[in-house]
Amino acid sequence: NAGVTQTPKFQVLKTGQSMTLQCAQDMNHEYMSWYRQDPGMGLRLIHYSVGAGITDQGEVPNGYNVSRSTTEDFPLRLLSAAPSQTSVYFCASSRTAGNTIYFGEGSWLTVV
Amino acid sequence: AQSVTQPDIHITVSEGASLELRCNYSYGATPYLFWYVQSPGQGLQLLLKYFSGDTLVQGIKGFEAEFKRSQSSFNLRKPSVHWSDAAEYFCALLGDNAGNMLTFGGGTRLMVKP
């Protein structure tokens, strides 16, 4: 019973490097999303998807790209990492609107 | 626009004492409300949720929360705190936005004195 799985858990990047944070869920959920967590600011929505092939921007989308080619996977791409993207990233999923939202265990990213 | 405010950034209580963490929200209708807990280096765990019905909601680990529409609040309570409750607590709101997305408060860090 895996739930929402994020990889990697920890990553250090140099400024300008690119990387992808992976997120997969095995619950056949339509809705998936990415949040970033920064001290004192709670979690803020980066991008979200309401189904395969459909994505939209959240509150803080700049510097991030997403795609949703399958129901199970929702990767988050940093094309050119910046120190301001040092954060903890959480992926989440839910079956539909109004249902319980499940979170992954988080990915700690440091950009130096 | 919807928003969630947690007025207390840090709270320290003695083990065995009662606890109340404050959460205020701004939303035009009745929201869905949640409390999550995050231990250091860990992910988010759902403590409880309010969707409708009884305004006093029971959760896991002995926590409860009360929805008060007149005060736009959803405060989290526990009658007797344990050292293992030390963590960061987040209140969140689910409005009628597309995509079932949550708006979070800034969090309250709870420290427990022995």
Side-chain angles (χ1 to χ4, degrees):
Chain A
N1 193 11
V4 180
T5 303
Q6 290 181 233
T7 56
K9 183 148 185 160
F10 299 100
Q11 182 73 48
V12 179
L13 283 178
K14 294 183 179 179
T15 297
Q17 285 185 318
S18 63
M19 79 157 297
T20 299
L21 297 177
Q22 302 290 345
C23 177
Q25 51 88 12
D26 61 357
M27 298 173 281
N28 200 32
H29 285 173
E30 289 295 321
Y31 290 18
M32 296 185 74
S33 53
W34 277 101
Y35 295 83
R36 60 177 287 173
Q37 181 185 20
D38 301 292
M41 304 186 77
L43 278 74
R44 293 178 293 167
L45 182 65
I46 304 172
H47 285 284
Y48 67 96
S49 169
V50 298
I54 306 169
T55 64
D56 206 344
Q57 297 181 350
E59 181 184 355
V60 288
N62 292 341
Y64 307 95
N65 281 349
V66 291
S67 60
R68 186 94 179 273
S69 56
T70 67
T71 299
E72 294 77 20
D73 300 299
F74 190 45
L76 179 71
R77 298 183 184 86
L78 286 71
L79 298 180
S80 179
S84 61
Q85 293 178 303
T86 294
S87 189
V88 184
Y89 291 85
F90 287 95
C91 180
S93 75
S94 64
R95 190 160 57 87
T96 58
N99 288 112
T100 299
I101 298 167
Y102 297 86
F103 284 86
E105 294 194 344
S107 296
W108 275 252
L109 176 65
T110 300
V111 183
V112 298
Chain B
Q2 58 199 50
S3 66
V4 177
T5 302
Q6 294 179 245
D8 305 304
I9 298 175
H10 294 99
I11 283 185
T12 300
V13 300
S14 298
E15 191 168 15
S18 63
L19 171 70
E20 183 169 27
L21 301 182
R22 296 185 290 165
C23 172
N24 295 104
Y25 69 88
S26 174
Y27 185 64
T30 300
Y32 294 168
L33 294 162
F34 304 80
W35 275 99
Y36 287 88
V37 61
Q38 183 183 33
S39 298
Q42 302 297 313
L44 294 166
Q45 181 179 23
L46 179 66
L47 283 176
L48 49 78
K49 60 187 177 185
Y50 171 77
F51 277 12
S52 65
D54 194 345
T55 56
L56 186 62
V57 181
Q58 301 298 318
I60 62 171
K61 303 185 178 186
F63 285 93
E64 66 178 25
E66 186 170 13
F67 171 64
K68 292 186 177 180
R69 185 191 306 275
S70 60
Q71 299 178 17
S72 297
S73 69
F74 188 56
N75 294 350
L76 182 71
R77 301 193 294 248
K78 186 171 186 179
S80 178
V81 170
H82 188 263
W83 64 266
S84 61
D85 293 324
E88 188 151 24
Y89 292 79
F90 293 96
C91 182
L93 177 157
L94 179 66
D96 59 359
N97 52 2
N100 208 40
M101 300 308 132
L102 291 168
T103 299
F104 283 85
T108 298
R109 181 163 297 279
L110 173 66
M111 290 172 280
V112 181
K113 293 190 298 185

